[in-house]
Amino acid sequence: MAVQTLDDLLAEGVSGRGVLVRSDLNVPLDGGRITDPGRIIASVPTLKALADAGAKVIVTAHLGRPKGGVDPAFSLAPVATALSERLGRHVQLAGDVVGTDALARAEGLTDGDVLLLENIRFDPRETSKDDGERLALAKALVELVGEDGAFVSDGFGVVHRKQASVYDVATLLPHYAGTLVAAEVKVLQQLTSSSERPYAVVLGGSKVSDKLAVIENLATKADSIVIGGGMCFTFLAAHGVSVGTSLLQEEMIETCRQLLETYGDVIHLPVDIVVAEKFAADSPAETVWADSIPADKMGLDIGPESVKRFTKLLSNARTIFWNGPMGVFEFPAFAAGTKGVAEAIVAATGKGAFSVVGGGDSAAAVRQLGLPEDGFSHISTGGGASLEYLEGKTLPGIEVLN
Ligand code: ADP
Ligand code: MG
């Protein structure tokens, strides 16, 4: 892949130059508090290298999904504060995306300064399906860094999106892959082209429809696909099991049934489930066999017998990809499945397996459940992006850097 990287840009010299960086700073927030700063921490190396080299750094990023315009609830203000701390430099926040305040601040930058633009999704052109609209926003971004500017793509979590700040700007400016994007792509290449067997894939999380394509693509490459989380109930239903009030995607049952028919020996489902009456932290938990879920109860975690079986499967794996928690790990009573499987992955990694965790919530689970981050070979910052890569899809934000 003939992609220019940050090192190439630094070698060209960036002192006094405007450099636009697309970072992924889309962190989970609870009110104004950042509950997991993982993506901010992962964005620092590229920004630090540029600021240290004397570039005028302009960072663009999104936060959440504001609907059709400016919404103070999705302001990047808490992110600017956290980024300042992690970077050890003051990060100023523009009051708008590409408006008068952003322009004035961009003009006032001196070497080594860092300016964060307000949530790029406050501008509806960012995600527009209309090429012309996206290009217009991209041109406005380019104006901020000036004629001799450069673009560094470092927001791995969004490279699967054909959006103005991800894709279109790269068509207008000399473009480079940031440290994070380069590292993530290298890991994914290792997963797809040189994976050692046995190769185990662990899938969980809430929406089965997001992950069916990856199951289809990996079923022929992986030796086992372990399924837990909210998505396992659509598979259990496809087996003819009644799943009570658990998460269920009716319209996917038939597809799951076909997958089970074709890849039944590869796909492994939980044999026991931790159920509760309500989706609540304090709803009393009870473990039942997967084929005996009471009609008025919902499955919120996989049970201990499933953890035992999945652990055995994972213990001899040489390559492991994990996306999606095994249960509602945010509630302590339903976190044991995720913790147990994560521990099995850490143990396999300790024995030399190459392990990758992909997905915002999975990465958050690792940290919240107190697992060692260095117990995994790589923790990816992008769930959707890594899944689409593994599905064999072309990622527009990577393609455009070629
Ligand atoms: P990731 O961000 O790692 O890709 P997802 O976004 O697909 O993962 O799913 C994460 C969410 O799935 C978590 O918030 C978790 O609470 C939820 N989840 C896991 N198991 C269940 C379940 N049995 N029922 C409902 N939600 C679940
Ligand atoms: Mg998620």
Side-chain angles (χ1 to χ4, degrees):
M1 203 168 62
V3 170
Q4 299 243 84
T5 65
L6 182 68
D7 286 338
D8 297 312
L9 175 59
L10 293 172
E12 275 174 37
V14 289
S15 183
R17 260 176 98 182
V19 178
L20 178 71
V21 183
R22 177 52 156 110
S23 297
D24 178 7
L25 304 174
N26 187 28
V27 287
L29 284 175
D30 183 6
R33 196 178 64 87
I34 295 167
T35 53
D36 181 43
R39 284 174 165 166
I40 295 176
I41 295 167
S43 298
V44 164
T46 291
L47 299 177
K48 188 173 183 319
L50 286 167
D52 285 351
K56 297 171 181 170
V57 186
I58 300 182
V59 187
T60 178
H62 76 283
L63 183 66
R65 297 184 175 202
K67 285 184 192 75
V70 179
D71 180 347
F74 294 99
S75 168
L76 280 169
V79 171
T81 308
L83 185 58
S84 296
E85 277 164 25
R86 301 278 175 180
L87 203 54
R89 279 173 192 268
H90 175 64
V91 174
Q92 35 170 328
L93 177 69
D96 48 28
V97 181
V98 288
T100 46
D101 190 54
L103 258 176
R105 286 176 187 271
E107 266 164 28
L109 292 178
T110 59
D111 300 3
D113 278 355
V114 182
L115 167 66
L116 175 63
L117 305 177
E118 229 340 333
N119 192 340
I120 186 81
R121 291 194 186 163
F122 284 176
D123 191 317
R125 294 175 296 178
E126 166 72 354
T127 54
S128 172
K129 294 274 170 277
D130 184 304
D131 293 348
E133 283 185 7
R134 283 199 322 274
L135 195 64
L137 175 58
K139 283 184 177 157
L141 287 168
V142 171
E143 223 168 280
L144 298 176
V145 288
E147 298 265 287
D148 67 338
F151 173 62
V152 175
S153 173
D154 208 34
F156 179 71
V158 285
V159 291
H160 58 314
R161 307 280 187 212
K162 195 174 181 180
Q163 297 176 342
S165 70
V166 179
Y167 176 84
D168 299 85
V169 278
T171 66
L172 300 173
L173 284 172
H175 42 261
Y176 307 82
T179 316
L180 178 62
V181 160
E184 296 267 17
V185 169
K186 191 162 163 249
V187 165
L188 290 171
Q189 279 170 342
Q190 192 171 341
L191 269 187
T192 41
S193 57
S194 55
S195 49
E196 259 186 74
R197 314 284 289 254
Y199 181 2
V201 174
V202 180
L203 293 176
S206 41
K207 269 184 107 182
V208 65
S209 52
D210 289 353
K211 311 199 178 173
L212 284 178
V214 76
I215 295 176
E216 271 196 289
N217 197 281
L218 290 177
T220 53
K221 301 188 181 87
D223 300 286
S224 49
I225 299 182
V226 166
I227 296 178
M231 65 186 281
C232 76
F233 301 103
T234 308
F235 277 95
L236 289 171
H239 259 319
V241 162
S242 133
V243 297
T245 58
S246 307
L247 212 63
L248 179 67
Q249 277 186 280
E250 302 254 8
E251 71 287 1
M252 292 292 158
I253 294 178
E254 182 51 29
T255 316
C256 289
R257 206 188 53 72
Q258 283 167 18
L259 280 171
L260 287 171
E261 205 173 279
T262 318
Y263 304 112
D265 48 344
V266 177
I267 297 174
H268 300 269
L269 297 174
V271 291
D272 56 349
I273 300 288
V274 182
V275 299
E277 216 159 277
K278 291 180 301 191
F279 189 91
D282 59 355
S283 192
E286 176 196 347
T287 303
V288 298
W289 294 114
D291 61 2
S292 319
I293 299 174
D296 58 347
K297 298 247 166 102
M298 61 175 68
L300 295 178
D301 196 10
I302 61 170
E305 182 58 29
S306 307
V307 171
K308 212 161 113 191
R309 292 188 187 200
F310 291 174
T311 299
K312 190 150 176 266
L313 269 173
L314 291 166
S315 67
N316 71 338
R318 298 292 302 163
T319 305
I320 301 170
F321 174 70
W322 171 34
N323 169 270
M326 295 291 101
V328 186
F329 72 93
E330 295 92 336
F331 302 154
F334 309 102
T338 303
K339 188 153 194 234
V341 167
E343 278 165 354
I345 299 173
V346 170
T349 312
K351 289 193 295 173
F354 179 67
S355 62
V356 178
V357 184
D361 292 296
S362 310
V366 166
R367 288 183 275 264
Q368 275 174 40
L369 300 176
L371 292 145
E373 283 181 61
D374 57 5
F376 303 86
S377 308
H378 180 77
I379 300 181
S380 175
T381 52
S386 38
L387 281 174
E388 289 200 12
Y389 188 99
L390 294 179
E391 281 166 31
K393 285 194 190 152
T394 310
L395 310 182
I398 299 294
E399 191 70 359
V400 76
L401 300 178
N402 275 311

